[in-house]
């Protein structure tokens, strides 16, 4: 594994230690956020470190007295991390409007966390039409104002443009790396790429951008070893916190060539046109980026993207990896599967709860699926 990947891996494995250390060195704010719809550019322009909360594999003890057992493991484990004092480095949290579970978590978080601030960002759910843009711009302006009040920072339009340019660079580099994986999946292992993307959601974004540029150049040179004869798989789902999953797919004779994950290509999608008025440009990015199932922009948009991904990646099949009890993804599944079936694309659905407890079961199903392709 190369030096740059190792650095991302260290952050992905212990993001809490990274954030604690960053805060100590910089004496600046660390802001937790839950979803790829959180407007990170505004947080970065405030001089803060946006910190993606993805939960952990700690045993759930404290969170159970607040949440039903049928909340998803992201919600339960993040609450456990909070109540157990593991997120003591956070100054505040930003909750974008996503699914019902996250919305209700916001209320419990506000009542149980003793952080300096707590902000809800209620973005539109329906992303089509002129009114969605007007609304999105108003939400972003309000968020800027609220963040200025709670952090004491001045978030000028120049700072927003500069922050957007950092994210543009970061997302472009990530997209280039995903593209390299699509054409030559042997150039970077699935678990390594997951670590890189997770690292980008936590690390100082200026440092991450420099590292990504080095990584991109380096993997473009790598040999395409070990790809021949492997079944090409596209992963689809929400949050993926499980590097082992890629190793299992690889040991079963498959290789992940692309993904529609919120810890994958959905995070890297789209850019901000900094030549335009900045709030309108930011709104356009959040309205036009690859959509997640908690938003709406046409009945078939997500299915069309998935089919296109399979075609472009010359994939043999799709593995849906869902967190158990995740309603938005579960509601989407029947129509996504029907669209894949209509195109003759085989798929399998696997539900995960917590940190990959039933590895053996996944391995067996994965081997059977890959054999069938
Ligand atoms: S969208 Fe699904 S995975 Fe994400 S928080 Fe909501 S229920 Fe959990």
């Amino acid at each position: 594994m190369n030096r740059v990947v190792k650095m991302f891996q260290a952050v992905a494995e212990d993001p809490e230690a990274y954030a604690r250390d960053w805060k100590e060195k910089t004496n600046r704010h660390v802001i937790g956020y839950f979803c790829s719809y959180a407007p990170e550019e505004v947080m970065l322009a405030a001089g803060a470190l946006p910190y993606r909360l993805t939960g952990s594999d700690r045993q759930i003890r404290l969170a159970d007295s607040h949440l039903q057992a049928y909340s998803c493991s992201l919600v339960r484990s993040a609450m456990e991390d909070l109540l157990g004092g593991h997120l003591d480095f956070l100054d505040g949290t930003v909750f974008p409007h996503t699914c019902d579970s996250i919305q209700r978590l916001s209320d419990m978080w506000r009542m149980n966390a003793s952080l300096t601030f707590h902000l809800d960002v209620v973005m539109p759910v329906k992303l089509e039409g002129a009114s969605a843009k007007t609304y999105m711009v108003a939400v972003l302006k309000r968020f800027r104002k609220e963040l200025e009040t709670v952090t004491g920072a001045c978030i000028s339009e120049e700072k927003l443009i500069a922050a957007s340019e950092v994210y543009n660079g970061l997302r472009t580099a990530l997209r280039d790396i995903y593209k390299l994986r699509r054409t030559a999946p042997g150039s970077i292992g699935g678990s390594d790429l997951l670590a890189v993307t997770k690292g980008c959601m936590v690390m100082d974004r200026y440092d991450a951008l420099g590292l990504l540029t080095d990584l991109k150049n380096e993997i473009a040179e790598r040999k395409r070893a070990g790809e021949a004869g492997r079944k090409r798989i596209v992963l689809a789902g929400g949050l993926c916190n499980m590097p082992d999953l890629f190793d299992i797919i690889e040991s079963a004779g498959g290789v992940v060539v692309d993904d529609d994950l919120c810890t994958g290509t959905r995070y890297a999608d789209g850019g901000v046109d900094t030549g335009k008025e900045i709030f309108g440009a930011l709104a356009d990015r959040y309205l036009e980026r690859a959509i997640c199932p908690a938003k709406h922009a046409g009945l078939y948009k997500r299915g069309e993207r998935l089919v296109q991904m399979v075609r472009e990646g010359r994939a043999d099949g799709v593995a849906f990896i869902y967190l158990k009890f995740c309603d938005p993804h579960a509601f989407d599944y029947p129509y996504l599967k029907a669209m894949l079936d209509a195109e003759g694309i085989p798929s399998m659905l696997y539900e995960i709860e917590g940190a990959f407890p039933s590895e053996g079961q996944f391995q067996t199903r994965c081997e059977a699926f890959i054999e069938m392709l």
Side-chain angles (χ1 to χ4, degrees):
M1 195 198 310
N2 97 334
R3 178 191 63 88
V4 176
V5 174
K6 269 190 191 153
M7 290 169 83
F8 281 113
Q9 199 114 48
V11 180
E13 275 168 14
D14 195 351
E16 294 165 3
Y18 178 88
R20 227 172 253 124
D21 187 51
W22 184 91
K23 189 177 166 121
E24 210 176 292
K25 282 185 185 141
T26 62
N27 200 25
R28 286 169 21 207
H29 293 104
V30 181
I31 306 177
Y33 70 96
F34 269 95
C35 162
S36 58
Y37 278 93
E40 287 186 51
E41 294 87 347
V42 188
M43 297 184 234
L44 187 67
L49 179 74
Y51 179 92
R52 179 86 178 254
L53 292 155
T54 54
S56 67
D57 55 6
R58 292 189 176 98
Q59 205 192 339
I60 308 287
R61 290 177 302 108
L62 305 165
D64 272 346
S65 52
H66 297 268
L67 290 157
Q68 314 91 319
Y70 53 85
S71 303
C72 75
S73 54
L74 164 64
V75 165
R76 291 171 75 225
S77 68
M79 190 69 179
E80 183 71 27
D81 294 343
L82 174 80
L83 297 172
H86 303 289
L87 302 176
D88 55 355
F89 52 85
L90 290 184
D91 293 282
T93 321
V94 168
F95 276 83
H97 182 292
T98 56
C99 62
D100 290 350
S101 307
I102 289 283
Q103 273 191 271
R104 296 288 66 83
L105 179 69
S106 172
D107 298 330
M108 282 177 271
W109 200 275
R110 183 190 286 110
M111 288 188 279
N112 287 283
S114 43
L115 306 181
T116 315
F117 61 87
H118 182 105
L119 299 174
D120 289 301
V121 184
V122 187
M123 284 184 165
V125 171
K126 185 172 171 287
L127 303 181
E128 301 160 297
S131 61
K133 178 155 180 185
T134 310
Y135 181 36
M136 183 75 93
V137 167
V139 169
L140 289 168
K141 286 186 173 170
R142 180 181 168 153
F143 179 54
R144 187 245 312 238
K145 209 169 171 187
E146 286 176 338
L147 203 54
E148 283 184 327
T149 307
V150 295
T151 62
C154 159
I155 308 174
S156 64
E157 296 195 2
E158 290 70 33
K159 285 184 186 170
L160 281 171
I161 291 169
S164 300
E165 277 165 0
V166 172
Y167 274 100
N168 281 349
L170 201 122
R171 289 191 172 115
T172 305
L174 271 177
R175 284 202 301 276
D176 288 346
I177 294 171
Y178 282 113
K179 200 168 159 194
L180 282 167
R181 173 180 68 171
R182 192 160 62 232
T183 49
S187 56
I188 182 161
S191 56
D192 289 347
L193 185 50
L194 175 67
V196 169
T197 309
K198 275 191 71 185
C200 288
M201 297 170 174
V202 167
M203 247 176 147
D204 187 304
R205 303 307 193 266
Y206 295 87
D207 294 344
L209 178 56
L211 289 174
L212 276 186
T213 311
D214 292 350
L215 180 65
K216 190 178 79 178
N217 297 336
E218 205 244 298
I219 64 174
E221 305 287 312
R222 279 188 199 166
K223 288 202 176 71
R224 306 175 177 196
E227 289 166 32
R230 291 189 168 272
K231 297 297 177 188
R232 298 168 68 91
I233 306 291
V234 167
L235 287 184
L239 196 86
C240 177
N241 237 345
M242 295 140 296
D244 298 355
L245 180 139
F246 295 91
D247 300 337
I248 292 172
I249 292 174
E250 284 160 22
S251 71
V255 64
V256 174
V257 292
D258 214 337
D259 71 66
D260 182 27
L261 299 171
C262 78
T263 43
T265 64
R266 283 210 297 277
Y267 181 72
D269 197 50
V272 179
D273 184 348
T274 53
K276 291 186 177 163
E277 187 278 318
I278 191 62
F279 283 99
L282 276 167
D284 284 340
R285 191 260 154 183
Y286 283 94
L287 291 167
E288 287 161 15
R289 53 152 274 193
I291 192 166
C292 111
K295 305 277 178 218
H296 177 81
L299 285 178
Y300 303 107
K301 198 154 185 169
R302 296 196 69 243
E304 283 158 2
R305 180 169 189 265
L306 191 55
V307 169
Q308 191 188 354
M309 210 171 237
V310 172
R311 296 285 174 237
E312 284 177 5
R314 293 177 294 107
D316 298 291
V318 173
F320 290 97
I321 307 291
Y322 286 171
L323 287 187
K324 206 168 178 184
F325 307 121
C326 175
D327 287 347
H329 281 284
F331 285 138
D332 253 22
Y333 172 71
Y335 107 83
L336 291 178
K337 165 133 177 57
M339 282 183 79
L340 293 179
D341 287 350
E343 297 283 331
I345 301 165
S347 63
M348 89 166 192
L349 167 64
Y350 194 79
E351 283 191 311
I352 288 163
E353 185 170 20
F356 222 33
S358 36
E359 236 173 81
Q361 203 191 88
F362 177 69
Q363 182 153 3
T364 310
R365 289 203 52 206
C366 198
E367 282 166 359
F369 179 60
I370 287 173
E371 212 165 284
M372 182 263 274
L373 292 175

